[in-house]
mmCIF file of all heavy atoms in Angstrom:
data_model
loop_
_atom_site.group_PDB
_atom_site.id
_atom_site.type_symbol
_atom_site.label_atom_id
_atom_site.label_comp_id
_atom_site.label_asym_id
_atom_site.label_seq_id
_atom_site.Cartn_x
_atom_site.Cartn_y
_atom_site.Cartn_z
ATOM 1 N N LEU H 15 -0.409 11.851 -5.442
ATOM 2 C CA LEU H 15 -1.935 11.924 -5.721
ATOM 3 C C LEU H 15 -2.239 13.410 -5.710
ATOM 4 O O LEU H 15 -3.237 13.757 -6.606
ATOM 5 C CB LEU H 15 -2.588 11.255 -4.634
ATOM 6 C CG LEU H 15 -2.560 9.623 -4.598
ATOM 7 C CD1 LEU H 15 -3.170 9.208 -3.322
ATOM 8 C CD2 LEU H 15 -3.264 9.202 -5.826
ATOM 9 N N THR H 16 -1.641 14.222 -4.976
ATOM 10 C CA THR H 16 -2.051 15.705 -5.001
ATOM 11 C C THR H 16 -1.451 16.172 -6.429
ATOM 12 O O THR H 16 -2.287 16.904 -7.102
ATOM 13 C CB THR H 16 -1.199 16.484 -3.897
ATOM 14 O OG1 THR H 16 -1.679 15.971 -2.729
ATOM 15 C CG2 THR H 16 -1.398 17.899 -4.079
ATOM 16 N N PHE H 17 -0.456 15.948 -6.994
ATOM 17 C CA PHE H 17 0.073 16.207 -8.296
ATOM 18 C C PHE H 17 -0.990 15.868 -9.306
ATOM 19 O O PHE H 17 -1.332 16.634 -10.148
ATOM 20 C CB PHE H 17 1.389 15.472 -8.653
ATOM 21 C CG PHE H 17 1.903 15.566 -10.049
ATOM 22 C CD1 PHE H 17 2.426 16.681 -10.511
ATOM 23 C CD2 PHE H 17 1.683 14.540 -10.874
ATOM 24 C CE1 PHE H 17 2.796 16.926 -11.835
ATOM 25 C CE2 PHE H 17 2.032 14.776 -12.151
ATOM 26 C CZ PHE H 17 2.639 15.858 -12.672
ATOM 27 N N TRP H 18 -1.407 14.539 -9.330
ATOM 28 C CA TRP H 18 -2.376 14.123 -10.363
ATOM 29 C C TRP H 18 -3.672 14.690 -10.282
ATOM 30 O O TRP H 18 -4.564 14.781 -11.144
ATOM 31 C CB TRP H 18 -2.460 12.516 -10.312
ATOM 32 C CG TRP H 18 -1.247 11.839 -10.861
ATOM 33 C CD1 TRP H 18 -0.432 10.973 -10.188
ATOM 34 C CD2 TRP H 18 -0.728 11.873 -12.266
ATOM 35 N NE1 TRP H 18 0.537 10.520 -11.082
ATOM 36 C CE2 TRP H 18 0.407 11.155 -12.241
ATOM 37 C CE3 TRP H 18 -1.139 12.673 -13.351
ATOM 38 C CZ2 TRP H 18 1.233 10.957 -13.356
ATOM 39 C CZ3 TRP H 18 -0.365 12.520 -14.493
ATOM 40 C CH2 TRP H 18 0.779 11.655 -14.434
ATOM 41 N N ASN H 19 -4.170 15.176 -8.998
ATOM 42 C CA ASN H 19 -5.345 15.737 -8.734
ATOM 43 C C ASN H 19 -5.347 17.301 -8.820
ATOM 44 O O ASN H 19 -6.176 17.929 -8.176
ATOM 45 C CB ASN H 19 -6.012 15.248 -7.553
ATOM 46 C CG ASN H 19 -6.464 13.875 -7.588
ATOM 47 O OD1 ASN H 19 -7.414 13.543 -8.379
ATOM 48 N ND2 ASN H 19 -5.718 12.860 -6.866
ATOM 49 N N GLY H 20 -4.432 17.925 -9.625
ATOM 50 C CA GLY H 20 -4.515 19.300 -9.762
ATOM 51 C C GLY H 20 -4.141 19.980 -8.508
ATOM 52 O O GLY H 20 -4.697 21.196 -8.323
ATOM 53 N N GLY H 21 -3.298 19.524 -7.602
ATOM 54 C CA GLY H 21 -2.952 20.260 -6.405
ATOM 55 C C GLY H 21 -3.924 20.056 -5.162
ATOM 56 O O GLY H 21 -3.630 20.574 -4.104
ATOM 57 N N HIS H 22 -4.818 19.161 -5.273
ATOM 58 C CA HIS H 22 -5.857 18.864 -4.262
ATOM 59 C C HIS H 22 -5.956 17.334 -4.067
ATOM 60 O O HIS H 22 -6.107 16.582 -5.175
ATOM 61 C CB HIS H 22 -7.314 19.482 -4.533
ATOM 62 C CG HIS H 22 -7.166 20.924 -4.817
ATOM 63 N ND1 HIS H 22 -7.024 21.846 -3.881
ATOM 64 C CD2 HIS H 22 -7.243 21.491 -6.159
ATOM 65 C CE1 HIS H 22 -7.073 23.072 -4.516
ATOM 66 N NE2 HIS H 22 -7.130 22.927 -5.785
ATOM 67 N N PHE H 23 -5.869 16.780 -2.980
ATOM 68 C CA PHE H 23 -6.206 15.402 -2.689
ATOM 69 C C PHE H 23 -6.824 15.332 -1.368
ATOM 70 O O PHE H 23 -6.335 15.779 -0.369
ATOM 71 C CB PHE H 23 -4.959 14.474 -2.754
ATOM 72 C CG PHE H 23 -5.280 13.080 -2.450
ATOM 73 C CD1 PHE H 23 -5.968 12.421 -3.371
ATOM 74 C CD2 PHE H 23 -4.881 12.546 -1.239
ATOM 75 C CE1 PHE H 23 -6.307 11.019 -2.931
ATOM 76 C CE2 PHE H 23 -5.192 11.240 -0.975
ATOM 77 C CZ PHE H 23 -5.909 10.480 -1.858
ATOM 78 N N LYS H 24 -8.089 14.757 -1.382
ATOM 79 C CA LYS H 24 -8.703 14.363 -0.079
ATOM 80 C C LYS H 24 -8.438 13.045 0.346
ATOM 81 O O LYS H 24 -8.647 12.062 -0.449
ATOM 82 C CB LYS H 24 -10.192 14.791 -0.226
ATOM 83 C CG LYS H 24 -11.000 14.384 0.966
ATOM 84 C CD LYS H 24 -12.546 14.706 0.610
ATOM 85 C CE LYS H 24 -13.407 14.108 1.672
ATOM 86 N NZ LYS H 24 -14.810 14.074 1.274
ATOM 87 N N ARG H 25 -7.968 12.804 1.544
ATOM 88 C CA ARG H 25 -7.789 11.575 2.070
ATOM 89 C C ARG H 25 -8.964 10.726 2.075
ATOM 90 O O ARG H 25 -10.079 11.175 2.186
ATOM 91 C CB ARG H 25 -7.170 11.585 3.584
ATOM 92 C CG ARG H 25 -5.640 12.254 3.595
ATOM 93 C CD ARG H 25 -5.342 12.336 4.999
ATOM 94 N NE ARG H 25 -4.013 13.181 5.043
ATOM 95 C CZ ARG H 25 -2.915 12.573 5.264
ATOM 96 N NH1 ARG H 25 -2.862 11.314 5.719
ATOM 97 N NH2 ARG H 25 -1.800 13.334 5.255
ATOM 98 N N THR H 26 -8.762 9.345 1.823
ATOM 99 C CA THR H 26 -9.979 8.444 1.688
ATOM 100 C C THR H 26 -9.636 7.206 2.503
ATOM 101 O O THR H 26 -8.586 6.844 2.674
ATOM 102 C CB THR H 26 -10.192 8.217 0.237
ATOM 103 O OG1 THR H 26 -11.098 7.123 0.145
ATOM 104 C CG2 THR H 26 -8.847 7.637 -0.470
ATOM 105 N N SER H 27 -10.715 6.738 2.993
ATOM 106 C CA SER H 27 -10.633 5.464 3.681
ATOM 107 C C SER H 27 -10.371 4.225 2.698
ATOM 108 O O SER H 27 -9.991 3.112 3.203
ATOM 109 C CB SER H 27 -11.951 5.166 4.609
ATOM 110 O OG SER H 27 -12.988 5.081 3.685
ATOM 111 N N ASN H 28 -10.564 4.432 1.509
ATOM 112 C CA ASN H 28 -10.237 3.338 0.431
ATOM 113 C C ASN H 28 -8.698 3.122 0.283
ATOM 114 O O ASN H 28 -8.384 2.224 -0.444
ATOM 115 C CB ASN H 28 -10.831 3.782 -0.866
ATOM 116 C CG ASN H 28 -12.378 3.567 -0.848
ATOM 117 O OD1 ASN H 28 -12.891 3.229 0.200
ATOM 118 N ND2 ASN H 28 -13.009 3.819 -2.010
ATOM 119 N N LEU H 29 -7.856 3.903 0.860
ATOM 120 C CA LEU H 29 -6.445 3.837 0.662
ATOM 121 C C LEU H 29 -5.712 3.440 1.921
ATOM 122 O O LEU H 29 -5.833 4.162 2.927
ATOM 123 C CB LEU H 29 -5.992 5.156 0.121
ATOM 124 C CG LEU H 29 -4.395 5.319 -0.086
ATOM 125 C CD1 LEU H 29 -3.798 4.325 -1.021
ATOM 126 C CD2 LEU H 29 -4.113 6.723 -0.568
ATOM 127 N N LYS H 30 -4.882 2.422 1.993
ATOM 128 C CA LYS H 30 -4.025 2.158 3.068
ATOM 129 C C LYS H 30 -2.593 1.989 2.527
ATOM 130 O O LYS H 30 -2.360 1.374 1.526
ATOM 131 C CB LYS H 30 -4.377 0.777 3.614
ATOM 132 C CG LYS H 30 -5.675 0.687 4.398
ATOM 133 C CD LYS H 30 -5.893 -0.642 4.984
ATOM 134 C CE LYS H 30 -7.350 -0.724 5.705
ATOM 135 N NZ LYS H 30 -7.592 -1.949 6.200
ATOM 136 N N ILE H 31 -1.715 2.687 3.170
ATOM 137 C CA ILE H 31 -0.346 2.826 2.720
ATOM 138 C C ILE H 31 0.445 1.966 3.683
ATOM 139 O O ILE H 31 0.419 2.194 4.855
ATOM 140 C CB ILE H 31 0.106 4.208 2.559
ATOM 141 C CG1 ILE H 31 -0.758 4.969 1.643
ATOM 142 C CG2 ILE H 31 1.589 4.292 2.183
ATOM 143 C CD1 ILE H 31 -0.522 6.521 1.691
ATOM 144 N N PHE H 32 1.321 1.061 3.188
ATOM 145 C CA PHE H 32 2.203 0.278 3.918
ATOM 146 C C PHE H 32 3.640 0.651 3.535
ATOM 147 O O PHE H 32 3.874 0.663 2.353
ATOM 148 C CB PHE H 32 1.998 -1.210 3.592
ATOM 149 C CG PHE H 32 0.686 -1.761 4.163
ATOM 150 C CD1 PHE H 32 -0.366 -1.685 3.381
ATOM 151 C CD2 PHE H 32 0.526 -2.141 5.541
ATOM 152 C CE1 PHE H 32 -1.613 -2.053 3.801
ATOM 153 C CE2 PHE H 32 -0.632 -2.693 5.914
ATOM 154 C CZ PHE H 32 -1.742 -2.600 5.115
ATOM 155 N N GLU H 33 4.476 1.050 4.447
ATOM 156 C CA GLU H 33 5.770 1.309 4.187
ATOM 157 C C GLU H 33 6.733 0.153 4.179
ATOM 158 O O GLU H 33 6.685 -0.639 5.028
ATOM 159 C CB GLU H 33 6.397 2.355 5.140
ATOM 160 C CG GLU H 33 7.797 2.905 4.758
ATOM 161 C CD GLU H 33 8.145 4.213 5.353
ATOM 162 O OE1 GLU H 33 7.244 4.860 5.783
ATOM 163 O OE2 GLU H 33 9.283 4.549 5.399
ATOM 164 N N GLY H 34 7.361 -0.059 2.921
ATOM 165 C CA GLY H 34 8.186 -1.215 2.764
ATOM 166 C C GLY H 34 9.125 -1.187 1.591
ATOM 167 O O GLY H 34 9.216 -0.037 0.965
ATOM 168 N N ASP H 35 9.577 -2.240 1.139
ATOM 169 C CA ASP H 35 10.638 -2.216 0.071
ATOM 170 C C ASP H 35 10.558 -3.639 -0.496
ATOM 171 O O ASP H 35 10.790 -4.656 0.087
ATOM 172 C CB ASP H 35 12.013 -1.908 0.729
ATOM 173 C CG ASP H 35 13.052 -1.751 -0.464
ATOM 174 O OD1 ASP H 35 12.891 -2.440 -1.635
ATOM 175 O OD2 ASP H 35 14.119 -1.088 -0.152
ATOM 176 N N ILE H 36 10.272 -3.760 -1.910
ATOM 177 C CA ILE H 36 10.306 -4.997 -2.486
ATOM 178 C C ILE H 36 11.452 -5.701 -2.641
ATOM 179 O O ILE H 36 11.490 -7.031 -2.882
ATOM 180 C CB ILE H 36 9.550 -4.814 -3.941
ATOM 181 C CG1 ILE H 36 10.455 -4.150 -4.882
ATOM 182 C CG2 ILE H 36 8.181 -4.330 -3.841
ATOM 183 C CD1 ILE H 36 10.192 -4.328 -6.367
ATOM 184 N N THR H 37 12.570 -5.172 -2.382
ATOM 185 C CA THR H 37 13.848 -5.808 -2.361
ATOM 186 C C THR H 37 14.249 -6.535 -1.109
ATOM 187 O O THR H 37 15.162 -7.269 -0.985
ATOM 188 C CB THR H 37 15.084 -4.868 -2.652
ATOM 189 O OG1 THR H 37 15.208 -3.944 -1.567
ATOM 190 C CG2 THR H 37 14.682 -4.167 -4.124
ATOM 191 N N LYS H 38 13.318 -6.265 -0.053
ATOM 192 C CA LYS H 38 13.644 -6.928 1.304
ATOM 193 C C LYS H 38 12.716 -8.083 1.595
ATOM 194 O O LYS H 38 11.715 -8.168 0.944
ATOM 195 C CB LYS H 38 13.397 -5.892 2.386
ATOM 196 C CG LYS H 38 14.351 -4.693 2.248
ATOM 197 C CD LYS H 38 14.165 -3.821 3.384
ATOM 198 C CE LYS H 38 15.260 -2.666 3.320
ATOM 199 N NZ LYS H 38 15.015 -1.603 4.287
ATOM 200 N N GLU H 39 13.120 -8.975 2.394
ATOM 201 C CA GLU H 39 12.312 -10.198 2.734
ATOM 202 C C GLU H 39 11.040 -9.677 3.285
ATOM 203 O O GLU H 39 11.013 -8.787 4.163
ATOM 204 C CB GLU H 39 13.036 -11.064 3.757
ATOM 205 C CG GLU H 39 12.348 -12.297 4.116
ATOM 206 C CD GLU H 39 13.126 -13.237 4.997
ATOM 207 O OE1 GLU H 39 14.441 -13.118 5.227
ATOM 208 O OE2 GLU H 39 12.530 -13.974 5.654
ATOM 209 N N ASN H 40 9.922 -10.259 2.938
ATOM 210 C CA ASN H 40 8.621 -10.007 3.371
ATOM 211 C C ASN H 40 8.266 -8.486 3.087
ATOM 212 O O ASN H 40 7.549 -7.831 3.934
ATOM 213 C CB ASN H 40 8.293 -10.285 4.735
ATOM 214 C CG ASN H 40 8.228 -11.776 5.067
ATOM 215 O OD1 ASN H 40 7.918 -12.526 4.179
ATOM 216 N ND2 ASN H 40 8.655 -12.249 6.061
ATOM 217 N N PHE H 41 8.934 -7.952 2.062
ATOM 218 C CA PHE H 41 8.695 -6.584 1.605
ATOM 219 C C PHE H 41 9.166 -5.526 2.763
ATOM 220 O O PHE H 41 8.862 -4.383 2.660
ATOM 221 C CB PHE H 41 7.263 -6.235 1.236
ATOM 222 C CG PHE H 41 6.750 -7.134 0.296
ATOM 223 C CD1 PHE H 41 5.638 -7.950 0.660
ATOM 224 C CD2 PHE H 41 7.303 -7.203 -0.904
ATOM 225 C CE1 PHE H 41 5.194 -8.908 -0.342
ATOM 226 C CE2 PHE H 41 6.875 -8.049 -1.879
ATOM 227 C CZ PHE H 41 5.768 -8.887 -1.623
ATOM 228 N N GLY H 42 9.940 -6.023 3.762
ATOM 229 C CA GLY H 42 10.398 -5.081 4.888
ATOM 230 C C GLY H 42 9.324 -4.655 5.769
ATOM 231 O O GLY H 42 9.596 -3.707 6.432
ATOM 232 N N ILE H 43 8.251 -5.388 5.789
ATOM 233 C CA ILE H 43 7.089 -4.876 6.640
ATOM 234 C C ILE H 43 6.937 -5.932 7.792
ATOM 235 O O ILE H 43 7.407 -7.057 7.786
ATOM 236 C CB ILE H 43 5.779 -4.685 5.973
ATOM 237 C CG1 ILE H 43 5.354 -5.933 5.312
ATOM 238 C CG2 ILE H 43 5.914 -3.613 5.049
ATOM 239 C CD1 ILE H 43 3.845 -5.785 4.598
ATOM 240 N N ASN H 44 6.329 -5.439 8.805
ATOM 241 C CA ASN H 44 6.175 -6.376 10.104
ATOM 242 C C ASN H 44 5.136 -7.503 9.844
ATOM 243 O O ASN H 44 4.410 -7.409 8.980
ATOM 244 C CB ASN H 44 5.862 -5.483 11.294
ATOM 245 C CG ASN H 44 4.538 -4.856 11.210
ATOM 246 O OD1 ASN H 44 3.478 -5.484 10.956
ATOM 247 N ND2 ASN H 44 4.431 -3.687 11.565
ATOM 248 N N GLU H 45 5.262 -8.436 10.590
ATOM 249 C CA GLU H 45 4.332 -9.710 10.454
ATOM 250 C C GLU H 45 2.945 -9.335 10.510
ATOM 251 O O GLU H 45 2.147 -9.749 9.721
ATOM 252 C CB GLU H 45 4.773 -10.687 11.433
ATOM 253 C CG GLU H 45 4.027 -12.009 11.329
ATOM 254 C CD GLU H 45 4.413 -12.834 9.983
ATOM 255 O OE1 GLU H 45 5.528 -12.645 9.647
ATOM 256 O OE2 GLU H 45 3.500 -13.426 9.505
ATOM 257 N N GLN H 46 2.518 -8.401 11.417
ATOM 258 C CA GLN H 46 1.133 -8.029 11.566
ATOM 259 C C GLN H 46 0.570 -7.490 10.214
ATOM 260 O O GLN H 46 -0.552 -7.779 9.695
ATOM 261 C CB GLN H 46 0.934 -7.078 12.762
ATOM 262 C CG GLN H 46 -0.521 -6.738 12.985
ATOM 263 C CD GLN H 46 -0.644 -5.772 14.124
ATOM 264 O OE1 GLN H 46 0.387 -5.499 14.901
ATOM 265 N NE2 GLN H 46 -1.812 -5.346 14.326
ATOM 266 N N ASP H 47 1.364 -6.493 9.652
ATOM 267 C CA ASP H 47 0.905 -5.881 8.511
ATOM 268 C C ASP H 47 0.965 -6.901 7.301
ATOM 269 O O ASP H 47 0.160 -6.869 6.368
ATOM 270 C CB ASP H 47 1.767 -4.558 8.137
ATOM 271 C CG ASP H 47 1.535 -3.446 9.020
ATOM 272 O OD1 ASP H 47 0.376 -3.420 9.622
ATOM 273 O OD2 ASP H 47 2.325 -2.456 9.037
ATOM 274 N N LEU H 48 1.903 -7.696 7.291
ATOM 275 C CA LEU H 48 1.977 -8.833 6.193
ATOM 276 C C LEU H 48 0.691 -9.733 6.171
ATOM 277 O O LEU H 48 0.086 -9.955 5.220
ATOM 278 C CB LEU H 48 3.286 -9.557 6.391
ATOM 279 C CG LEU H 48 3.431 -10.537 5.132
ATOM 280 C CD1 LEU H 48 3.694 -9.814 3.908
ATOM 281 C CD2 LEU H 48 4.684 -11.383 5.507
ATOM 282 N N VAL H 49 0.225 -10.085 7.382
ATOM 283 C CA VAL H 49 -0.931 -10.893 7.511
ATOM 284 C C VAL H 49 -2.104 -10.079 7.017
ATOM 285 O O VAL H 49 -2.860 -10.630 6.301
ATOM 286 C CB VAL H 49 -1.055 -11.377 8.938
ATOM 287 C CG1 VAL H 49 -2.434 -11.981 9.215
ATOM 288 C CG2 VAL H 49 -0.015 -12.415 9.431
ATOM 289 N N LYS H 50 -2.103 -8.826 7.434
ATOM 290 C CA LYS H 50 -3.284 -7.911 7.053
ATOM 291 C C LYS H 50 -3.422 -7.836 5.470
ATOM 292 O O LYS H 50 -4.374 -8.010 4.779
ATOM 293 C CB LYS H 50 -3.219 -6.569 7.553
ATOM 294 C CG LYS H 50 -4.324 -5.704 7.350
ATOM 295 C CD LYS H 50 -4.214 -4.271 8.026
ATOM 296 C CE LYS H 50 -4.174 -4.504 9.484
ATOM 297 N NZ LYS H 50 -4.078 -3.157 10.111
ATOM 298 N N LEU H 51 -2.092 -7.486 4.885
ATOM 299 C CA LEU H 51 -2.119 -7.609 3.404
ATOM 300 C C LEU H 51 -2.612 -8.941 2.723
ATOM 301 O O LEU H 51 -3.327 -8.880 1.747
ATOM 302 C CB LEU H 51 -0.747 -7.193 2.902
ATOM 303 C CG LEU H 51 -0.340 -5.777 2.860
ATOM 304 C CD1 LEU H 51 1.180 -5.580 2.605
ATOM 305 C CD2 LEU H 51 -1.054 -5.006 1.921
ATOM 306 N N LYS H 52 -2.124 -10.004 3.202
ATOM 307 C CA LYS H 52 -2.470 -11.244 2.732
ATOM 308 C C LYS H 52 -4.019 -11.562 2.780
ATOM 309 O O LYS H 52 -4.601 -11.985 1.827
ATOM 310 C CB LYS H 52 -1.775 -12.342 3.381
ATOM 311 C CG LYS H 52 -0.260 -12.450 2.934
ATOM 312 C CD LYS H 52 0.321 -13.568 3.802
ATOM 313 C CE LYS H 52 1.833 -13.721 3.546
ATOM 314 N NZ LYS H 52 2.483 -14.834 4.153
ATOM 315 N N GLU H 53 -4.626 -11.049 3.934
ATOM 316 C CA GLU H 53 -6.010 -11.225 4.075
ATOM 317 C C GLU H 53 -6.873 -10.335 3.212
ATOM 318 O O GLU H 53 -7.909 -10.717 2.728
ATOM 319 C CB GLU H 53 -6.450 -10.998 5.580
ATOM 320 C CG GLU H 53 -5.945 -12.027 6.465
ATOM 321 C CD GLU H 53 -6.095 -11.851 7.929
ATOM 322 O OE1 GLU H 53 -6.433 -10.598 8.249
ATOM 323 O OE2 GLU H 53 -5.844 -12.652 8.793
ATOM 324 N N GLU H 54 -6.470 -9.178 2.951
ATOM 325 C CA GLU H 54 -7.329 -8.143 2.308
ATOM 326 C C GLU H 54 -6.831 -7.943 0.804
ATOM 327 O O GLU H 54 -7.705 -7.368 0.134
ATOM 328 C CB GLU H 54 -6.944 -6.676 2.963
ATOM 329 C CG GLU H 54 -7.420 -6.678 4.422
ATOM 330 C CD GLU H 54 -7.124 -5.313 5.062
ATOM 331 O OE1 GLU H 54 -6.603 -4.418 4.303
ATOM 332 O OE2 GLU H 54 -7.434 -5.146 6.220
ATOM 333 N N THR H 55 -5.897 -8.518 0.268
ATOM 334 C CA THR H 55 -5.509 -8.351 -1.096
ATOM 335 C C THR H 55 -5.994 -9.304 -2.011
ATOM 336 O O THR H 55 -5.818 -10.535 -1.702
ATOM 337 C CB THR H 55 -3.942 -8.219 -1.155
ATOM 338 O OG1 THR H 55 -3.457 -7.154 -0.398
ATOM 339 C CG2 THR H 55 -3.453 -7.886 -2.633
ATOM 340 N N GLU H 56 -6.738 -8.956 -3.025
ATOM 341 C CA GLU H 56 -7.303 -9.983 -3.952
ATOM 342 C C GLU H 56 -6.497 -9.882 -5.310
ATOM 343 O O GLU H 56 -6.361 -10.925 -5.950
ATOM 344 C CB GLU H 56 -8.771 -9.419 -4.341
ATOM 345 C CG GLU H 56 -9.650 -9.659 -3.070
ATOM 346 C CD GLU H 56 -11.084 -9.175 -3.499
ATOM 347 O OE1 GLU H 56 -11.425 -9.090 -4.775
ATOM 348 O OE2 GLU H 56 -11.752 -9.000 -2.560
ATOM 349 N N GLU H 57 -5.917 -8.699 -5.655
ATOM 350 C CA GLU H 57 -5.071 -8.612 -6.852
ATOM 351 C C GLU H 57 -3.848 -7.786 -6.606
ATOM 352 O O GLU H 57 -3.887 -6.987 -5.773
ATOM 353 C CB GLU H 57 -5.912 -8.008 -8.105
ATOM 354 C CG GLU H 57 -7.060 -8.830 -8.419
ATOM 355 C CD GLU H 57 -7.868 -8.125 -9.574
ATOM 356 O OE1 GLU H 57 -7.147 -7.706 -10.576
ATOM 357 O OE2 GLU H 57 -9.136 -8.123 -9.574
ATOM 358 N N ILE H 58 -2.854 -8.131 -7.342
ATOM 359 C CA ILE H 58 -1.600 -7.328 -7.101
ATOM 360 C C ILE H 58 -1.262 -6.755 -8.551
ATOM 361 O O ILE H 58 -1.270 -7.428 -9.503
ATOM 362 C CB ILE H 58 -0.414 -8.239 -6.790
ATOM 363 C CG1 ILE H 58 -0.699 -8.820 -5.318
ATOM 364 C CG2 ILE H 58 0.890 -7.473 -6.786
ATOM 365 C CD1 ILE H 58 0.213 -9.839 -4.806
ATOM 366 N N ILE H 59 -0.926 -5.495 -8.476
ATOM 367 C CA ILE H 59 -0.460 -4.767 -9.613
ATOM 368 C C ILE H 59 0.873 -4.368 -9.351
ATOM 369 O O ILE H 59 1.091 -3.448 -8.435
ATOM 370 C CB ILE H 59 -1.379 -3.641 -10.158
ATOM 371 C CG1 ILE H 59 -2.811 -4.115 -10.374
ATOM 372 C CG2 ILE H 59 -0.810 -2.931 -11.314
ATOM 373 C CD1 ILE H 59 -3.803 -3.133 -10.525
ATOM 374 N N HIS H 60 1.918 -4.819 -9.957
ATOM 375 C CA HIS H 60 3.242 -4.487 -9.680
ATOM 376 C C HIS H 60 3.781 -3.326 -10.620
ATOM 377 O O HIS H 60 3.736 -3.380 -11.756
ATOM 378 C CB HIS H 60 4.114 -5.688 -9.958
ATOM 379 C CG HIS H 60 5.634 -5.534 -9.627
ATOM 380 N ND1 HIS H 60 6.402 -4.615 -10.006
ATOM 381 C CD2 HIS H 60 6.423 -6.363 -8.876
ATOM 382 C CE1 HIS H 60 7.565 -4.714 -9.565
ATOM 383 N NE2 HIS H 60 7.655 -5.837 -8.864
ATOM 384 N N CYS H 61 4.054 -2.129 -10.057
ATOM 385 C CA CYS H 61 4.455 -1.029 -10.700
ATOM 386 C C CYS H 61 5.867 -0.457 -10.295
ATOM 387 O O CYS H 61 6.316 0.639 -10.622
ATOM 388 C CB CYS H 61 3.513 0.142 -10.599
ATOM 389 S SG CYS H 61 1.929 -0.253 -11.426
ATOM 390 N N ALA H 62 6.544 -1.229 -9.526
ATOM 391 C CA ALA H 62 7.935 -0.890 -9.017
ATOM 392 C C ALA H 62 8.861 -0.992 -10.200
ATOM 393 O O ALA H 62 8.797 -1.982 -10.957
ATOM 394 C CB ALA H 62 8.368 -1.688 -7.773
#
C-alpha cells in the first residue's frame, strides 16, 4: 500500500488483515477469526 501510494500510507480502520494461507484448511486461521470473516464478508475477490 505504501508502494502504490507514493511512499505514504496512513493506516485506516477500514482495513483488517488476517494472516493465513489459502492452501491450508480454513485458510490456516483460527476459529474465532474465521467466524468473524464469515460474519463480516459480503463479497470475495480472489487475487492469490
Side-chain angles (χ1 to χ4, degrees):
L15 288 169
T16 299
F17 168 79
W18 287 120
N19 286 295
H22 306 283
F23 176 71
K24 181 180 163 188
R25 292 178 186 246
T26 174
S27 61
N28 287 2
L29 174 63
K30 290 184 184 175
I31 301 169
F32 295 86
E33 187 154 341
D35 186 331
I36 65 164
T37 66
K38 295 181 179 176
E39 185 175 340
N40 293 327
F41 308 115
I43 61 176
N44 65 48
E45 185 66 30
Q46 183 180 355
D47 285 343
L48 187 62
V49 168
K50 189 182 293 186
L51 275 173
K52 286 178 180 180
E53 290 173 351
E54 296 178 0
T55 303
E56 293 179 17
E57 295 182 45
I58 297 173
I59 302 171
H60 185 308
C61 294

